[in-house]
Amino acid sequence: MSTTKTIQSALISVFSKEGLEPIVRKLHEQKVTLYSTGGTEDFIKNLGIPVVPVEDITSFPEILGGRVKTLHPKIFGGILNRQDNESDVQQMKEFDIPQIDLVIVDLYPFEKTVASGASETDIIEKIDIGGISLIRAAAKNFKDTVIVASVNEYSLILDLITEQNGATTLENRRLLATKAFHVSSHYDTAIFNYFNTDDTIYKESIADGQVLRYGENPHQKGFFFGDFDAMFQKLHGKELSYNNLLDVDAAVNLIAEFKTDGPTFAILKHNNACGLATRKTISEAYSAALACDPTSAFGGVLISNTTIDLATAQEINKLFCEVVIAPSFDSEAIAVLQEKKNRIILVQNEVELPTRQVRTCLNGLLIQDKNNVTDNKEHLKTVTITAPTEQEVEDLLFASKICKNTKSNTIVFAKNGTLISSGTGQTSRVDALVQAIDKAKAFGFDLNGASMASDAFFPFPDCVELAKKAGITAVIQPGGSIKDELSINYCNENKVAMVFTGTRHFKH
C-alpha cells in the first residue's frame, strides 16, 4: 500500500479560529468532506462552505455543556482505523464509520487561564478532554492520519496540501505527529505542575527552544530554552551566544540586589563583577565601575539599574563590550551605542524570574530554591567591641550583595559605594583574599578604611589578620565556625569591626 495519502475527509474542532480560513477554503477547493463541532462548525458555515455536524455521525448531541462532543466510537474509529488491516476495514463497513484522514484541533488555553489569575473553577474547565484525545489518537495513527494540533502548524499543513494537491507522505505525517505529541506532553505537564505539591517530583516543558551559534566553545552545540523576548527587548546587535546568555543571567541577578538603590552600574566578565558602583548619577556610577578593573571590563557585559543617558552612552562607546542592559535608554543614548554594529543592546522588562534553580549533575539534575536572601541592617549582629560606622555598614552590605553573586570561594572589598576588588573562585579563602589585595594594589586603590565581605565563615584568624594589615577596618561574614572566637579576638585586639549575618552565600 502506498505511504502517500490523499486527504478526502477532515475533522476540524478548534478553540481559536485565527488562521484557519485559508486552510478550510483550500480543503473545500479540493473537495474534502468537512466534519466539525460547535463554534468551529458555525465558523465554517459562515464562510459559505458545507460542513457535516459531528452529531450527524454519532447520532448523539453535545452534552454536559459541551464537555462531551467528539468522544464517540464513530469518531475515534474513523481516526484510529488501520487502512491495511482487513479486520479494521470490515468493522468500518459494519458499523458505518466514516474515514477521517485529517484532524485539526487545538486545546483550551489552560496556561493562559492559570496566568490570568482565574478561579480554580475556570481553570479546571480549561482542562481539555476531547481535544487531547483526538490529538493522541490521530498522532498514534500517523501512518494513515494527518494531525494538526496547533496554530503553529497551520502554515505547514497549508503548504503541504497546496503544493502536494491534498496529499501527504509518511514523513509529513510523522513530523506532524511528533509536533502533536509535543503539544500534548507540554499541555499535560502544565496541568500536572498546577496541581503538584510534591517537590521531589520534577517535570518541565518549554515549548520553544532557540539554536545558538554554539555552546561554551565552538565545538559544542548550544541551545536556549526560555522566553527571551519576555525578559528583554533587543534594540541592536548580533545574536547572543551561550556565554553571552550566562553573563546576562549573572548581570540580571546581580543588579536585582541594587534595584531600589541609587544609580548603580555593574560590569561583569565570566559571570563575576569586575566593576560596580553606586553614585548620584548613572554616568558617575559607570565611570567608577570601569575604574575598578578596566582591563577585565574589555569584552564584558554592562548593566544599569536605571536609564542610560547620553553622557553615559558616550563613555560606554569608548569601551569594547558585548552587551549593554538597562531598564530604559534615552533615544540619544541608543543612537550612540548603535555605532558599534555587533554591540547587543537590551531593554530589561519587569519579569518574574524562576524561584528555583536547575542544573545537570552526574546522570540527573540538581534543583534548589534560589538564594533570595539579601543581607540588610536587620540581619547584622556586631560581634566585636568595635562597631562599624554608618558608612562602613553601608559598604559592608554593598560588598555582601556583590559577594553573594560571585563565585566561591570569594572575598570582596568595597569602599564608599564602590567595588574595589575581589578574589573569585579560589580553592582557598586565603588565596581569594590575597588575590583581592594584589588586584586592588595593581589598580592603585587604597584599602585603608575599606570593608570586606566573605561568602562563608573564617575557620582561622589568618584572613582577618591579612585584611587588617592591608587596611581593612570592617568585615561582614556569616559566622558559624566553631573557631569564630579566634577571628573575633583578633579583631578586638586590632580594633576591626566585624558583623555576622547568619547566612552563608556559597555560589558554585
Side-chain angles (χ1 to χ4, degrees), residues 295-472:
T295 302
S296 295
F298 182 86
V301 168
L302 282 57
I303 190 166
S304 166
N305 72 344
T306 190
T307 303
I308 290 181
D309 55 21
L310 175 60
T312 309
Q314 288 172 332
E315 291 302 311
I316 291 173
N317 208 35
K318 299 174 184 177
L319 174 74
F320 169 71
C321 58
E322 293 275 355
V323 186
V324 183
I325 310 166
S328 60
F329 295 80
D330 288 345
S331 57
E332 299 90 344
I334 295 172
V336 170
L337 294 173
Q338 287 178 333
E339 290 177 6
K340 304 294 174 65
K341 69 175 183 178
N342 288 329
R343 179 183 286 146
I344 299 163
I345 306 173
L346 301 176
V347 174
Q348 184 180 346
N349 301 323
E350 285 283 346
V351 174
E352 186 176 346
L353 294 174
T355 58
R356 294 200 295 178
Q357 295 174 314
V358 182
R359 66 194 296 183
T360 59
C361 181
L362 301 176
N363 61 348
L365 301 174
L366 280 174
I367 301 175
Q368 68 170 353
D369 293 337
K370 193 172 182 178
N371 182 0
N372 59 4
V373 175
T374 297
D375 296 329
N376 58 50
K377 289 182 181 180
E378 287 69 33
H379 296 154
L380 303 185
K381 177 185 177 183
T382 302
V383 295
T384 52
I385 296 170
T386 301
T389 66
E390 186 176 336
Q391 180 61 55
E392 285 174 335
V393 168
E394 290 183 11
D395 285 339
L396 288 171
L397 293 174
F398 179 91
S400 173
K401 292 176 182 179
I402 301 170
C403 192
K404 169 187 168 182
N405 290 275
T406 305
K407 294 288 186 180
S408 298
N409 286 319
T410 185
I411 293 289
V412 170
F413 294 148
K415 188 176 181 180
N416 298 326
T418 307
L419 169 62
I420 299 300
S421 67
S422 60
T424 64
Q426 299 302 305
T427 54
S428 159
R429 197 161 305 282
V430 172
D431 287 346
L433 178 55
V434 170
Q435 183 190 53
I437 292 171
D438 289 345
K439 195 168 184 180
K441 289 179 179 178
F443 287 104
F445 287 107
D446 181 7
L447 289 175
N448 287 302
S451 295
M452 178 175 81
S454 173
D455 58 340
F457 59 63
F458 301 125
F460 303 102
D462 46 7
C463 282
V464 289
E465 183 176 353
L466 285 168
K468 166 61 180 176
K469 291 178 179 178
I472 300 299

Side-chain angles (χ1 to χ4, degrees), residues 164-179:
Q164 298 172 186
N165 197 29
T168 61
T169 66
L170 181 61
E171 290 74 19
N172 297 153
R173 297 191 296 278
R174 178 184 285 273
L175 173 62
L176 284 163
T178 303
K179 292 178 180 293

Side-chain angles (χ1 to χ4, degrees), residues 452-501:
M452 178 175 81
S454 173
D455 58 340
F457 59 63
F458 301 125
F460 303 102
D462 46 7
C463 282
V464 289
E465 183 176 353
L466 285 168
K468 166 61 180 176
K469 291 178 179 178
I472 300 299
T473 56
V475 177
I476 186 171
Q477 57 134 320
S481 169
I482 59 173
K483 296 182 178 180
D484 275 343
E485 288 301 318
L486 296 177
S487 294
I488 293 171
N489 290 340
Y490 179 87
C491 289
N492 282 333
E493 292 166 4
N494 292 274
K495 297 182 179 179
V496 175
M498 180 182 284
V499 297
F500 286 0
T501 65

Side-chain angles (χ1 to χ4, degrees), residues 21 24-25 28 41-51:
E21 180 178 345
V24 172
R25 291 195 181 280
H28 175 60
E41 179 188 338
D42 292 338
F43 174 83
I44 296 172
K45 285 180 179 177
N46 289 335
L47 295 177
I49 293 173
V51 57

